[in-house]
Amino acid sequence: MARILKKKVNHQTTQLNWSSTTELVGLEFELVTKVDVSLYPQYTIGLHAWFLDQVRSTDPELSAYLHDGESEKPFTISALDGELVSSGKQLKLLANKTYRWYVTALSNRLIQWLAEWINNLPSEVSLRNAPLQIIACHVIFLPTTYEQLLNSPLEQTLALHFLSPTSFRRKGHHLPLPVPVNIFHSYLRRWNDFAGTPIDQDSFLAWVDDCVLITRHQIASAKVLAGKKGAVTGFTGAVEFSLTKEASQQPEFCQLFSALGKLAPYCGTGHKTTFGLGQTRWGWSSKVVVDVPDVQSLLANRIEELTEIFTAQRKRTGGDRAIEVASKWATILARREMGESLQLVAQDLQMPYETVKTYAKLARKALKVE
């Protein structure tokens, strides 16, 4: 796909504009650090917070909606794409290496904010003790609208490449498989929230179940950190979806199938897409490398191990509340074991310090740790 380049030189930027009716766009930022810096494993929380803080500085109402809104989130962010290496209990970013970071927007309101923001970008992305200089910004997914996607040429075969671990919620657990109903339900939720032309979910998903096939795939799975708490088992790799002959009996659903496939890179796939999971691209790729730094894998496994222990201990209470508390205990204790201060953990989780301190004590007691 063609890119429009927005150059940044000496804090001056060339103008990058799109139509006032634009509803979808994807941006790629090029970032560098001048010296080697350490980064904590769950740094995507910091990227998420930094982006919302940028919105809050000029549009507090929009920021509150992005943070607290009960609808689907109208944006995605990626993890850093580049050479991250494990260094003890931290990640290391290497001096003068280029790291890429992706942000997409799914609603006209957010895109209008982006249009002003990218032409007056800050000099750096500030992560905890790891300032990253912004050296360039590109449009990687062209500005468009939901109507334009729906009216674009019909594709009866869709190949999608899942760059970061992708997973779905199912009965309180993670489903790390590209089941067509789950894949297209994920896209339809965003479509129904933001397109202005909602589609009947039950009838479309029944059609997907009957008429959408996986014709080839090449995937692998990995356990990764996910957002503010917990770990997720997700899949990466390429999957090709095709329509059966019977699908043509409902041409409007065939057109929607094609449009949702084209929506995928903008909205991401599955859950935790605002914390780097579910990054999706068009086209087939035979590369299936789940490149999770050792320190991130170690922390993800420890969080999952502790979550299972605490959930089992709370079986008598049961329900979502028990699982939620077990996940918080596990995240707090695992991060403390990795050397992070409770103050910083509380800041990341947006919880009162005293609550985090109490949860850490209860978690240690549950493990019979002095």
Side-chain angles (χ1 to χ4, degrees):
M1 173 173 287
R3 293 179 177 177
I4 303 172
L5 176 62
K6 171 182 164 295
K7 295 181 180 178
K8 187 172 189 300
V9 182
N10 296 327
H11 304 290
Q12 301 297 315
T13 59
T14 61
Q15 294 296 310
L16 177 62
N17 299 309
W18 43 69
S19 165
S20 62
T21 61
T22 297
E23 296 172 320
L24 297 154
V25 73
L27 302 176
E28 175 191 76
F29 296 86
E30 293 183 11
L31 312 173
V32 297
T33 177
K34 295 302 182 183
V35 296
D36 290 356
V37 293
S38 294
L39 198 61
Y40 63 116
Q42 286 187 295
Y43 71 88
T44 54
I45 300 172
L47 289 171
H48 178 102
W50 182 85
F51 179 70
L52 291 185
D53 190 60
Q54 291 293 303
V55 181
R56 183 167 50 249
S57 66
T58 56
D59 193 336
E61 183 180 341
L62 176 58
S63 176
Y65 166 68
L66 297 181
H67 188 276
D68 302 322
E70 294 182 1
S71 66
E72 297 294 325
K73 302 298 184 185
F75 71 101
T76 75
I77 68 168
S78 74
L80 296 176
D81 180 13
E83 192 173 348
L84 284 80
V85 296
S86 294
S87 178
K89 295 180 179 180
Q90 300 277 301
L91 296 169
K92 180 181 286 187
L93 303 182
L94 303 179
N96 300 315
K97 294 284 187 180
T98 299
Y99 295 90
R100 289 176 171 80
W101 181 48
Y102 305 99
V103 175
T104 68
L106 316 177
S107 73
N108 178 263
R109 182 181 178 187
L110 180 57
I111 283 173
Q112 294 314 306
W113 177 85
L114 279 177
E116 296 183 10
W117 179 66
I118 62 174
N119 286 302
N120 190 30
L121 282 173
S123 60
E124 64 183 31
V125 175
S126 300
L127 292 176
R128 187 194 306 166
N129 300 320
L132 294 168
Q133 182 183 353
I134 300 173
I135 59 172
C137 176
H138 311 271
V139 168
I140 189 171
F141 306 133
L142 294 178
T144 189
T145 67
Y146 291 93
E147 183 178 7
Q148 287 171 335
L149 291 184
L150 191 59
N151 293 330
S152 60
L154 173 66
E155 303 285 350
Q156 299 208 38
T157 297
L158 294 171
L160 296 175
H161 186 207
F162 303 93
L163 296 184
S164 64
T166 302
S167 188
F168 308 94
R169 297 185 185 92
R170 185 175 184 273
K171 296 182 179 180
H173 299 281
H174 301 125
L175 178 65
L177 290 171
V179 178
V181 167
N182 295 91
I183 292 282
F184 287 91
H185 183 204
S186 171
Y187 306 148
L188 185 64
R189 292 200 321 267
R190 277 79 165 189
W191 184 280
N192 280 347
D193 245 29
F194 304 119
T197 54
I199 307 297
D200 181 74
Q201 176 176 293
D202 291 342
S203 57
F204 175 70
L205 293 181
W207 175 86
V208 168
D209 197 32
D210 289 338
C211 299
V212 177
L213 306 174
I214 294 176
T215 46
R216 59 173 173 158
H217 72 80
Q218 192 167 352
I219 61 174
S221 63
K223 194 177 279 85
V224 293
L225 303 170
K228 295 180 180 179
K229 58 183 182 297
V232 165
T233 300
F235 69 90
T236 60
V239 183
E240 184 180 80
F241 303 94
S242 298
L243 297 178
T244 64
K245 292 181 180 179
E246 293 75 19
S248 61
Q249 295 174 13
Q250 292 180 275
E252 71 282 7
F253 283 168
C254 293
Q255 197 68 40
L256 182 61
F257 161 83
S258 178
L260 292 179
K262 294 169 185 176
L263 174 65
Y266 294 94
C267 70
T269 308
H271 64 146
K272 303 291 186 182
T273 54
T274 60
F275 291 96
L277 300 190
Q279 287 280 301
T280 307
R281 301 290 186 268
W282 294 297
W284 180 266
S285 173
S286 59
K287 182 180 179 182
V288 189
V289 179
V290 185
D291 188 16
V292 180
D294 292 342
V295 64
Q296 288 186 313
S297 180
L298 178 65
L299 181 54
N301 282 312
R302 181 57 172 162
I303 289 174
E304 183 172 71
E305 177 188 13
L306 291 172
T307 300
E308 290 177 358
I309 293 171
F310 297 147
T311 301
Q313 290 175 344
R314 301 175 66 87
K315 270 186 178 179
R316 287 174 294 179
T317 56
D320 293 341
R321 173 62 180 166
I323 296 173
E324 176 81 6
V325 170
S327 179
K328 285 181 179 178
W329 284 17
T331 300
I332 292 166
L333 184 56
R335 290 181 65 173
R336 187 70 189 96
E337 290 174 346
M338 292 289 286
E340 290 194 71
S341 73
L342 292 179
Q343 289 91 342
L344 290 175
V345 173
Q347 178 182 317
D348 267 356
L349 300 185
Q350 296 183 324
M351 294 172 60
Y353 168 72
E354 291 300 327
T355 301
V356 170
K357 184 178 178 181
T358 298
Y359 279 8
K361 288 180 179 179
L362 292 172
R364 289 192 189 97
K365 183 177 180 181
L367 288 179
K368 295 183 174 59
V369 175
E370 296 297 327

